[in-house]
Every structure is written in structure tokens, then in C-alpha cells.
Amino acid sequence: MEHTTLTTSRLELRPFAPSDEDEVYGACQDPDIQRWTLVPSPYGREHAHGFVNEVVPGGWREDTAYAFAVRLGGDGPLVAAVGVHVHGTDAYEIGYWAVKEHRGQGYTTEAVGAVARWAFTEVGAVRLEWRAEAGNTGSRVVAEKAGFRFEGVLRAGVMRNGTARDCWVGALLPSDLGLAPALPYLPGDVSGAS
């Protein structure tokens, strides 16, 4: 996938670059990011260096992950990170974290919406899934504000620090955003009635 820059009324989203290393390192010192996301804990300088110099460019090059640095305007501070992880054909998962000092401003929700639209219109995603460890209410609030529908709990759905943990799962479809789907969608009877 070619590197892509997205813009909203307040934000610029572009692939992370080596110049973002210091801000990524600083943001990931936040205990909440280390607690609720899959970033290494403790988070060292080498993790930030590897992320912006190897992980992000490799994901874009190999079409396995598309990570965006979310900035307030083109030259403003890093306010969040949003990424789409490709888990196989038609299997896309969104993940994100917000810089502590910039939470509560709606930036992450705005960025998640922009990335979701891009994933549906440019990448061809049929469904975008969101997962978070059960109890991560901040992530759930962002997902629901961005239009994701909560679908339930996956028992032992996330592995962290050698422990299987329950996770919440939700999904967003193109039609939830008023977009045409890449494939026709035939919903099933989820009531359990026969």
C-alpha cells in the first residue's frame, strides 16, 4: 500500500516516521497505554525506535498493518495513534491509543472515523473489527462514538503477558457510515428462532 495522508477538520494522519520517535516514546510512558494496549511494558527507547523505523514501514510495505500518527494540524503535536491490522483476507482490526494530555478532546474518535472510511473506500475492508480487553472503557467509548456496534465478549480473546484475558469486540460496516459495501451483505437471523 502506498503511504497515505488523511486529513480531518482538525487533524492530519500520516504514517509514523523516524522523526516521531521521541513523541512515541514519551506517549508510551503512560501507564494506561501500557496497561490497556499491547505495547511493551516497560516501554523503552528501543521499542519506539523499532516501531517507527521497522514495524510501521514493514507493515505498510507488506500490507499487514497501516499505522497512522495523528497530529493536531500538520505541524502540531502527536495526539494519538490509529492503526489497521490485516489478519488475512477480509479480516481487518482497528487499534488506537491517545496521548494522555490530549484525551477528552474527541481527537481519537475523529481519527478512527477517518481511518475507517479510508479502510472501506481505499483498502476494500468489508468489516472493521475493534477489540479491547474487557474493562477498557476509554477504548469502548471511542469505538462506540465512531459508530462501532458492540457485539459481545470473547472469552480468553486477548493474550497479554502470558495470560489469556476476556475482551470486548465490536464491528463497523461500511453501511454504518453511509458507504457502499465492497461485497453484498446478507444479515442472518440472530434471534436464534428457527
Side-chain angles (χ1 to χ4, degrees):
M1 174 69 67
E2 291 292 321
H3 283 202
T4 301
T5 298
L6 308 173
T7 57
T8 70
S9 60
R10 302 184 295 172
L11 306 171
E12 180 180 281
L13 295 77
R14 59 153 174 78
F16 279 95
S19 59
D20 299 317
E21 181 178 330
D22 288 342
E23 285 177 290
V24 169
Y25 173 74
C28 290
Q29 298 309 299
D30 177 8
D32 286 334
I33 290 176
Q34 291 184 29
R35 165 64 180 94
W36 294 112
T37 73
L38 297 178
V39 304
S41 180
Y43 195 87
R45 178 70 66 178
E46 69 278 8
H47 298 118
H49 182 81
F51 179 71
V52 299
N53 288 286
E54 298 165 21
V55 174
V56 171
W60 281 87
R61 183 176 55 254
E62 297 162 13
D63 288 321
T64 56
Y66 312 112
F68 290 92
V70 180
R71 293 193 167 280
L72 190 56
D75 297 323
L78 180 70
V79 298
V82 178
V84 174
H85 306 277
V86 182
H87 296 299
T89 306
D90 299 324
Y92 300 89
E93 181 181 345
I94 198 160
Y96 43 85
W97 49 256
V99 176
K100 185 176 186 171
E101 296 78 20
H102 298 288
R103 290 184 190 138
Q105 307 292 317
Y107 299 138
T108 308
T109 302
E110 189 175 323
V112 166
V115 171
R117 283 179 181 74
W118 171 80
F120 291 135
T121 60
E122 300 299 320
V123 178
V126 173
R127 167 188 162 95
L128 195 54
E129 192 167 279
W130 158 83
R131 291 180 182 211
E133 185 178 330
N136 186 349
T137 55
S139 182
R140 184 170 175 173
V141 166
V142 167
E144 289 177 338
K145 283 184 178 180
F148 283 76
R149 293 187 187 178
F150 183 74
E151 294 180 334
V153 175
L154 297 177
R155 295 182 310 144
V158 66
M159 308 308 148
R160 182 164 174 73
N161 299 328
T163 304
R165 300 166 190 242
D166 292 346
C167 77
W168 290 330
V169 64
L172 187 68
L173 302 179
S175 58
D176 296 331
L177 299 177
L179 301 171
L183 295 173
Y185 171 45
L186 179 62
D189 179 4
V190 295
S191 68
S194 40

